[in-house]
Amino acid sequence: MRKKRKGSETDVSPEVTDKFASACDSRSSNIRSHFSLEDYARIKKRCKEDVDAPPVGSCKSRLAGIATAPPCGASSLVPLGRGLKRKIGCIEVITRIGGKKKIDDDYVKGGTIGRGKFGSVWLCRSRSCGVEFACKTLIKGEETVQKEVEIMQHLSGHPGIVTLQAVYEDPDCFHLVMELCSGGRLIDQMAESQFSEQRAANIFKDVMSIIKYCHEMGVVHRDIKPENILLTTSGKIKLADFGLAMRISKGQVLSGLVGSPAYVAPEVLLGNYSEKVDIWSAGVLLHVLLVGFLPFQGDSLKAVFEAIKTVKLDFHSGIWESVSKPARDLLARMLTRDVSSRITADEVLRHPWILFYTERSLKTLSIKSKSKIQVGPSIQVSHSPGTELSLSRINGGCHSQGPQPALTSHSSSCKSEEQDENGLVDVLAVAISHVRISEPKRTRLCSPTGPIEQQCSSNLTANNLCRAF
Ligand SMILES: Nc1ncnc2c1ncn2[C@@H]1O[C@H](COP(=O)(O)OP(=O)(O)OP(=O)(O)O)[C@@H](O)[C@H]1O
């Protein structure tokens, strides 16, 4: 029987979930999702075999989800581009025929640089050009290796996607030679220190740009989490691990319990979902970036899922008082259970919090206007009955309901960057004038619910991938 790495059904029983011990005290363990749904599936199996099995939280295995969406291609509503067809054709050929060339012919093997659940990632150096790459070796029998390769190739060319350089096959394994990200994982940086809002916004913008690109290319990642966000030596963000990714066409519905528990969207737990699951997961990431801990926690898998479905997040008190209101507003719009109200990647990128911290022109404007304007610190963005955001200056803070689209520039985490706040009114006006949030259906954020309403180093071409075989 073939092993299922990803895309196989996960049935998480209460007995298994109750064995899951998640939250630890350390900063690092507060933000790690570590265990994918597949982990739990494996744990379940193990629990059957051994009643004294260690808690799920101690396991190092990986997931299985179900990928029940119809395969893209002939049945896809979106016609495939010529290039894509060529790429897919290439992958099909190379995976069917198998490679004649060995990876050792072309690369010198180096040390291990990472370990996934189904194999290791190791350093290698091209014999021909001397450039270093990362090689992910996947043991054969993994049903979705082909899908992972196809999706990586489909997305290849974007600077935020780890470039797939070549694929080799030997009797036991597939070897995916990828662009090397020597800067480590985002999660490790997050564990080291709390980010300022400025830094968080810049990282988050990059992440969301990549997600937007994936969605535009008809790909749902389904496992957005800081463990899968890598950095280059120069600090550039790269999205990795497309093992759970799926091709999706417009209007298509995916199903299957897939992802990493702490990051999984509520609709995934219900069964039918779309690319919006990546927005939710990115919202969880933003939560961690802003305050350093996961929003939905529990001491069992069941408890984590229950929290995802029902916990009412309070962004108004405690630690949130030190986070700017625009940041909280964005978070609220991402972590909304009503999928149709949840904003899109494009809307995230046009949100004032992102624009303010990442648009150079706004910063410049801020500095220029600093000396001219003296205003109070609180600015509120409110939704007009129409659909656009309008800006008005008010004293004080929050609306009494809903995700709070209120802007204030108070952030203890980023004081140095916000000292020119007196000049922000015009800046924010400019920022907000760029924002059109589509039809704001503002539901109360995270209220308890019953049933949830629901190019680059782009040296990869089809040709050079094929050449490996
Ligand atoms: N291109 C790369 N450059 C540098 N390191 C990498 C690269 N790809 C992966 N790694 C390292 O290897 C680890 C495992 O890689 P990856 O997540 O792709 O494997 P996986 O088997 O899907 O693992 P996971 O259990 O995280 O799902 C990463 O966390 C990272 O540390």
Side-chain angles (χ1 to χ4, degrees):
M1 198 174 131
R2 294 193 118 201
K3 266 189 292 179
K4 291 191 177 183
R5 177 177 174 232
K6 293 162 180 171
S8 53
E9 193 161 7
T10 300
D11 174 18
V12 186
S13 72
E15 304 85 58
V16 179
T17 61
D18 287 343
K19 282 181 175 283
F20 168 57
S22 73
C24 306
D25 291 337
S26 71
R27 173 176 177 76
S28 167
S29 58
N30 269 343
I31 64 178
R32 266 168 225 273
S33 57
H34 279 321
F35 305 105
S36 62
L37 296 175
E38 192 162 307
D39 293 326
Y40 301 106
R42 289 188 165 202
I43 296 308
K44 180 185 174 189
K45 193 171 165 223
R46 202 154 122 189
C47 290
K48 277 185 188 159
E49 291 164 356
D50 178 5
V51 287
D52 296 323
V56 175
S58 67
C59 294
K60 299 280 182 196
S61 57
R62 171 174 186 149
L63 69 83
I66 189 164
T68 54
C72 291
S75 62
S76 169
L77 299 176
V78 178
L80 299 172
R82 285 185 62 192
L84 177 59
K85 272 186 186 159
R86 201 173 59 236
K87 283 180 179 176
I88 290 174
C90 171
I91 294 287
E92 279 172 354
V93 169
I94 59 176
T95 50
R96 205 177 327 118
I97 295 173
K100 291 194 178 116
K101 266 188 119 179
K102 300 277 168 247
I103 187 164
D104 294 338
D105 296 339
D106 295 335
Y107 295 88
V108 181
K109 194 170 179 175
T112 301
I113 52 177
R115 285 194 193 283
K117 303 295 189 300
F118 280 79
S120 55
V121 178
W122 43 279
L123 196 66
C124 62
R125 185 186 294 276
S126 164
R127 291 186 189 276
S128 59
C129 63
V131 175
E132 286 188 323
F133 293 93
C135 179
K136 183 170 173 176
T137 295
L138 296 166
I139 297 157
K140 266 196 182 168
E142 306 301 344
E143 289 176 340
T144 58
V145 170
Q146 195 165 331
K147 181 164 63 76
E148 184 169 356
V149 169
E150 184 266 308
I151 287 178
M152 281 186 84
Q153 232 203 343
H154 175 48
L155 296 175
S156 198
H158 187 279
I161 303 287
V162 170
T163 303
L164 186 62
Q165 176 72 16
V167 181
Y168 293 81
E169 183 182 4
D170 63 29
D172 304 318
C173 303
F174 285 105
H175 305 282
L176 278 54
V177 180
M178 302 174 287
E179 167 188 11
L180 178 65
C181 300
S182 311
R185 304 178 308 171
L186 178 61
I187 191 168
D188 299 320
Q189 295 209 352
M190 289 165 73
E192 276 169 23
S193 63
Q194 180 74 48
F195 290 178
S196 68
E197 286 199 25
Q198 166 97 30
R199 186 155 176 232
N202 278 279
I203 289 170
F204 198 62
K205 180 188 177 183
D206 289 348
V207 171
M208 290 310 304
S209 299
I210 302 166
I211 292 174
K212 180 184 170 207
Y213 169 73
C214 290
H215 291 179
E216 285 171 354
M217 294 292 284
V219 172
V220 191
H221 186 277
R222 301 201 298 184
D223 202 15
I224 298 291
K225 56 179 181 177
E227 290 92 325
N228 286 336
I229 296 166
L230 307 180
L231 293 109
T232 63
T233 26
S234 61
K236 295 234 160 47
I237 297 279
K238 302 264 177 182
L239 184 58
D241 196 358
F242 289 87
L244 286 183
M246 281 293 290
R247 299 284 301 280
I248 188 172
S249 53
K250 202 169 165 46
Q252 188 181 349
V253 174
L254 301 179
S255 60
L257 195 52
V258 166
S260 297
Y263 288 80
V264 87
E267 64 269 23
V268 173
L269 303 175
L270 291 177
N272 293 325
Y273 54 88
S274 67
E275 77 285 350
K276 285 279 187 83
V277 296
D278 287 344
I279 304 294
W280 176 280
S281 304
V284 174
L285 167 65
L286 178 59
H287 187 288
V288 181
L289 281 168
L290 291 171
V291 292
F293 59 89
L294 288 162
F296 307 107
Q297 299 191 34
D299 56 9
S300 68
L301 183 60
K302 192 179 168 192
V304 173
F305 287 168
E306 199 54 29
I308 290 168
K309 288 191 278 189
T310 61
V311 155
K312 179 182 178 181
L313 295 175
D314 175 11
F315 295 146
H316 304 302
S317 55
I319 196 166
W320 291 103
E321 286 169 14
S322 66
V323 176
S324 74
K325 284 182 182 164
R328 292 185 242 168
D329 175 72
L330 175 57
L331 194 52
R333 291 175 192 278
M334 298 182 79
L335 291 181
T336 182
R337 294 188 175 95
D338 180 353
V339 178
S340 61
S341 296
R342 194 179 304 154
I343 64 177
T344 63
D346 188 49
E347 287 167 342
V348 171
L349 290 168
R350 288 184 285 121
H351 189 277
W353 183 71
I354 298 283
L355 292 176
F356 173 68
Y357 280 119
T358 63
E359 290 287 319
R360 232 180 248 154
S361 56
L362 294 178
K363 273 298 195 193
T364 310
L365 182 55
S366 167
I367 292 160
K368 278 184 188 162
S369 60
K370 187 176 167 184
S371 57
K372 295 182 192 160
I373 306 168
Q374 280 200 333
V375 292
S378 282
I379 302 159
Q380 180 173 317
V381 179
S382 58
H383 285 302
S384 303
T387 58
E388 284 184 62
L389 289 169
S390 63
L391 178 71
S392 60
R393 195 185 312 166
I394 62 156
N395 294 322
C398 303
H399 281 290
S400 56
Q401 56 178 324
Q404 298 297 323
L407 285 181
T408 184
S409 309
H410 287 173
S411 165
S412 64
S413 61
C414 195
K415 287 202 171 67
S416 62
E417 290 125 0
E418 296 181 7
Q419 296 195 340
D420 57 352
E421 296 205 336
N422 284 351
L424 292 187
V425 172
D426 285 357
V427 179
L428 289 170
V430 172
I432 286 156
S433 71
H434 285 80
V435 176
R436 291 177 77 94
I437 304 287
S438 60
E439 203 58 49
K441 298 170 192 163
R442 292 172 56 197
T443 52
R444 190 164 178 78
L445 171 71
C446 298
S447 56
T449 56
I452 302 171
E453 288 174 36
Q454 288 246 339
Q455 318 95 23
C456 67
S457 50
S458 183
N459 38 14
L460 176 71
T461 62
N463 284 343
N464 67 19
L465 184 67
C466 288
R467 243 186 279 134
F469 285 79

